[in-house]
Amino acid sequence: CRRIREAPLHESEEIFALEFGHRVAKKADVEWPSPPSYRPKTQRIALFSRDLGVEVETAKYLSEQGDCYYVENALWNSLLGLCIWDIVFAPLRGAFFHPFQRSPQGFRDPEFVKQRESLLAERWLQLRTQKALQQQVLSTFRAKRGRVNPLVFWDVMTPALLKKAVERIPWQHCLVVFQRILSDLRENRTGFPDLVLFPEQGGYELIEVKGPGD
């Protein structure tokens, strides 16, 4: 575990080494740093219909508090894809070999971001207002709707959801999440909370749903 922590292949491996090493070290009475702990606010509800799946039924239940959508990994990845569409498909040498590619060559590899660092840095500067974020997302949505992008989930991202997201989610939050995804495109595009709720009083909440046996 010490060797893994010195040179982890990715963040998941580093987290495993920290947590597993802590358990083993505790039994062996060896010093080891305690892994960070986080206990989210929880709410237990009883749903009497499972026809649409526990996530969708929960979203219906929470819709009494505001607009609620089942998005899982679609929301943040799609917002990122719409913000950097031209950068994803930048005509860099070796990126494309035929007109039907779903994504550039090596899209999930670290080199993808490294080759586009200057383009991404310029885009983050351009998106440093809420209005700029809204214009970038909505204009790209209108221009590219239905076209293939490895980051965009067209079946989930409705105009109503997108409009609400860019109005309610602060641009600062978006940039932090975008950079987090891009730090490891292979690992960090998944694992997002199931639902996004836009309460009537403003703001937004991310909600993870756990049902019986889950």
Side-chain angles (χ1 to χ4, degrees):
C1 285
R2 285 198 181 101
R3 288 199 297 272
I4 290 173
R5 290 190 65 210
E6 288 170 3
L9 292 176
H10 45 72
E11 190 177 23
S12 296
E13 191 173 77
E14 183 178 12
I15 291 170
F16 165 80
L18 181 62
E19 294 179 347
F20 184 72
H22 177 69
R23 293 201 299 271
V24 174
K26 198 172 181 181
K27 292 178 181 178
D29 197 23
V30 174
E31 274 195 38
W32 191 266
S34 297
S37 61
Y38 172 67
R39 291 188 176 276
K41 176 185 174 184
T42 60
Q43 178 185 1
R44 184 180 292 271
I45 61 174
L47 300 173
F48 297 100
S49 171
R50 293 286 295 277
D51 295 340
L52 300 175
V54 67
E55 294 89 359
V56 176
E57 294 290 353
T58 304
K60 286 175 59 181
Y61 170 82
L62 291 171
S63 64
E64 296 177 1
Q65 302 176 29
D67 295 327
C68 191
Y69 300 88
Y70 176 31
V71 293
E72 204 163 356
N73 303 313
L75 174 62
W76 297 100
N77 281 285
S78 296
L79 289 174
L80 171 60
L82 292 169
C83 280
I84 64 167
W85 189 293
D86 55 328
I87 298 174
V88 170
F89 292 99
L92 301 184
R93 184 179 179 86
F96 296 97
F97 298 97
H98 61 79
F100 302 106
Q101 277 182 235
R102 177 180 175 81
S103 58
Q105 184 74 9
F107 171 68
R108 295 175 180 82
D109 299 336
E111 287 72 24
F112 173 83
V113 173
K114 288 180 182 177
Q115 291 169 351
R116 295 160 178 80
E117 277 181 340
S118 60
L119 296 173
L120 290 168
E122 185 178 349
R123 182 57 44 84
W124 305 148
L125 290 174
Q126 293 169 353
L127 296 179
R128 287 185 174 273
T129 68
Q130 202 68 27
K131 186 176 180 180
L133 176 73
Q134 292 170 3
Q135 289 177 340
Q136 182 71 35
V137 168
L138 297 178
S139 63
T140 306
F141 179 83
R142 289 190 293 268
K144 304 294 185 181
R145 190 173 184 180
R147 296 188 183 184
V148 173
N149 183 312
L151 290 165
V152 179
F153 295 70
W154 293 115
D155 56 333
V156 177
M157 302 308 295
T158 63
L161 169 56
L162 266 182
K163 186 173 184 296
K164 189 71 74 171
V166 294
E167 287 175 353
R168 295 288 193 91
I169 302 175
W171 65 266
Q172 298 95 327
H173 295 196
C174 289
L175 294 193
V176 168
V177 176
F178 294 167
Q179 290 164 3
R180 167 79 174 171
I181 294 172
L182 291 169
S183 70
D184 192 335
L185 276 166
R186 192 175 294 275
E187 294 285 324
N188 291 354
R189 287 185 298 144
T190 60
F192 288 94
D194 298 309
L195 311 181
V196 61
L197 169 66
F198 300 104
E200 291 180 358
Q201 65 271 26
Y204 76 104
E205 297 179 17
L206 302 177
I207 299 165
E208 178 71 13
V209 180
K210 293 297 181 187
D214 183 7

